Structure formats: C-alpha cells, structure tokens
Amino acid sequence: MKLRKVTAASAVLVALSVAATACGGDKKDDDSSGGGKKITIGIKFDQPGIGQKTPQGYAGFDVDVATYVAKKLGYSADQIEWKESKSADRETMLKRGDVDFIAASYSITPERQKLVDFAGPYLLAHQDVLVRADDHSIKTAADLNKARLCSVTGSTSAQNVKDRLAPKAQLQKYPTYSACLGGLQNKAIDALTTDDSILAGYASQSQFRGKFKLGGLKMTNENYGIGVKKGSDLKAKINKALEDMVADKSWDKAVEKNFGPANYKNEPAPKIGDVKS
C-alpha cells in the first residue's frame, strides 16, 4: 500500500515536470529569428523624429524602421519590447544581450565595427546646422566663424566644426538640444549643429514648424546602421527586411512622415553595404 502511494506521488511530480518544460517552450527564441513571444529593440527615447518615448507610445523614423524589420522577422508591434539605448551604452547592450538589435541614429564607423556588426545602412545623414528661418547669413561652414554655435554637453559635433571648419566659431554650451532650440529661437545663439536627420526631427515638431531651417552644409557623412551582436545571423535577415522596406516604398513613407514638415532634403535610400566615408 505504501509503495502504491509513493508511485502515485512520483507520477504527479513527473507530470508537473513535463508541463513546466512544455510551458518553457513558449519563451523568446534565443536568435530572435521570429515566432517567439517578443523581440527587444534598442532605440533613442529623446530624439523627436528619430526615436522618442511619448505619452502615446514610441515614435520616429528609427521606430518605424525597427517595427517594419521586426514584422519581417515574425514579430507584431505588440511583441516588441523597446529599450532606451543611450549612445555610450549601445555596444555594451548588444554584447550583453540586453537587446536583439539597435536602431538609434547609430552611425557605422570602423571603431564600432570592431565591437558589433551592422545591417544597412538604412539612412545617409550629414552633419548640418539648424538656423532661424529668416536668417540668411550662414551659407557655408566658413560662415560659422562669425556665429554663436550651440554646443550640447557631451556632444562633439560643435567642437568638430570649430576644430576643422570654423575655428573662430563661438561655442555656447547648453545642456540639451531642446535648450539649444530655445536659445536659437530667442537669438541667444545663431546655429545648432548635429546630424541633419536629428535637426529635421526637432524642426518638425508642431511648436517649431516654420521657425527653423536646415543649412544644407553636409559637413560629414553619417551612415545609420542597425547594430547586432558580433557574429549574429540577424544581420542578413535585417538586411533583407531593409531591402524590402525600400522596394515597397515603406521607407519613403517613413521619411516623409517623420521629416517632411522640416523640408528635409534626404538622400536616396542607401544600398546595403554602401558605407560612405
């Protein structure tokens, strides 16, 4: 009789173990190749037009690109977990596996390619300046020699201009790009510099439309890529998704939606692997 009780208890334990194993099969796929419960994507949370967390959700060009790619990988929008990817944290997040991929105004550079792999590029941006709509004094980089140029704490964009193109530019330090826009609006500064896509995103905000314009200086090439962990097979799958996005015109729609209000004269969609130096 005792033997039967022990056997019955053991049977129950085995059944529970099998059930637990079956439930474990519903977890996210390790390689995020589609069909899993979720995919984790890194984006910027504070760049209007690029990647921004809002009360209504997440918005921006990078968000639209990442959502399209995720769908091609087999994930619906509600299966995406968004994580903030600050510039200094991106390589570490990929290496640790905190995210499956990152789309966060992530320029492809030789230094970064030693640490992570990149799909793309999916956008060719350029360092540019944002000025007041009625200001016609800045037409070339040399014109910045007589300008008050906004320098955001922690950013190298303004310093690069001063070091290489306009050594007499007067750098004015502000804590954020939003603060720079306020200074630009009240004429405390004459120009704000960073990637033209980021500038277009800020200028496209409803409260700023028509007040600012891009200079069109194209001072550098910034090849935005989607970062993945070194050696990940996601690179090839994401490249195919990006090609599909261009082919079905979803890429053009995303550009117009996020940058159109700023009259952003974007470059054509780049070819996969074509990184401009």
Side-chain angles (χ1 to χ4, degrees), residues 110-133:
E111 294 76 17
R112 289 169 178 165
Q113 286 177 305
K114 295 175 183 177
L115 303 173
V116 301
D117 285 341
F118 285 97
Y122 63 92
L123 182 72
L124 176 59
H126 307 281
Q127 187 176 345
D128 198 359
V129 294
L130 193 70
V131 298
R132 289 181 293 278

Side-chain angles (χ1 to χ4, degrees), residues 177-244:
Y177 288 117
S178 296
C180 280
L181 284 171
L184 189 58
Q185 192 168 7
N186 63 31
K187 300 186 178 180
I189 60 170
D190 302 307
L192 160 62
T193 185
T194 187
D195 297 357
D196 54 7
S197 56
I198 296 173
L199 295 174
Y202 278 105
S204 294
Q205 291 180 285
S206 57
Q207 68 269 35
F208 296 131
R209 289 180 188 176
K211 295 180 180 179
F212 306 117
K213 65 182 179 183
L214 291 165
L217 303 188
K218 296 185 178 181
M219 294 180 281
T220 64
N221 290 328
E222 305 295 336
N223 303 270
Y224 288 4
I226 292 180
V228 298
K229 190 174 183 178
K230 201 75 176 172
S232 172
D233 64 354
L234 274 181
K235 177 180 176 179
K237 297 173 184 178
I238 293 173
N239 278 335
K240 177 60 170 65
L242 293 173
E243 289 176 336
D244 291 345

Side-chain angles (χ1 to χ4, degrees), residues 21 32 50 207 221 229 245 273:
T21 303
S32 297
I50 300 288
Q207 68 269 35
N221 290 328
K229 190 174 183 178
M245 188 175 188

Side-chain angles (χ1 to χ4, degrees), residues 99-121:
V99 292
D100 294 300
F101 67 80
I102 291 177
S105 55
Y106 202 0
S107 295
I108 302 171
T109 68
E111 294 76 17
R112 289 169 178 165
Q113 286 177 305
K114 295 175 183 177
L115 303 173
V116 301
D117 285 341
F118 285 97

Side-chain angles (χ1 to χ4, degrees), residues 26-212:
D26 288 336
K27 290 183 180 179
K28 171 183 159 184
D29 295 341
D30 288 339
D31 64 358
S32 297
S33 58
K37 278 295 186 183
K38 68 176 182 178
I39 187 167
T40 306
I41 303 173
I43 58 169
K44 289 293 180 68
F45 277 15
D46 59 353
Q47 288 183 342
I50 300 288
Q52 186 179 28
K53 183 178 182 180
T54 74
Q56 292 75 40
Y58 299 90
F61 182 71
D62 283 349
V63 175
D64 290 342
V65 170
T67 301
Y68 185 98
V69 168
K71 183 177 180 181
K72 287 290 183 175
L73 294 176
Y75 299 91
S76 59
D78 61 2
Q79 290 176 307
I80 298 173
E81 178 186 353
W82 301 106
K83 279 197 174 183
E84 183 175 19
S85 298
K86 296 180 180 179
S87 296
D89 300 334
R90 290 177 296 202
E91 289 81 25
T92 301
M93 292 178 73
L94 287 169
K95 186 176 181 180
R96 286 194 312 227
D98 297 342
V99 292
D100 294 300
F101 67 80
I102 291 177
S105 55
Y106 202 0
S107 295
I108 302 171
T109 68
E111 294 76 17
R112 289 169 178 165
Q113 286 177 305
K114 295 175 183 177
L115 303 173
V116 301
D117 285 341
F118 285 97
Y122 63 92
L123 182 72
L124 176 59
H126 307 281
Q127 187 176 345
D128 198 359
V129 294
L130 193 70
V131 298
R132 289 181 293 278
D134 60 356
D135 185 352
H136 305 288
S137 65
I138 299 175
K139 298 179 181 178
T140 68
D143 291 331
L144 294 170
N145 277 308
K146 55 181 183 288
R148 293 164 298 178
L149 186 63
C150 184
S151 175
V152 175
T153 304
S155 170
T156 60
S157 298
Q159 189 64 51
N160 287 341
V161 171
K162 185 173 176 65
D163 291 344
R164 300 187 301 105
L165 301 169
K168 295 181 181 179
Q170 302 171 46
L171 296 187
Q172 305 288 321
K173 290 190 176 181
Y174 283 73
T176 64
Y177 288 117
S178 296
C180 280
L181 284 171
L184 189 58
Q185 192 168 7
N186 63 31
K187 300 186 178 180
I189 60 170
D190 302 307
L192 160 62
T193 185
T194 187
D195 297 357
D196 54 7
S197 56
I198 296 173
L199 295 174
Y202 278 105
S204 294
Q205 291 180 285
S206 57
Q207 68 269 35
F208 296 131
R209 289 180 188 176
K211 295 180 180 179
F212 306 117

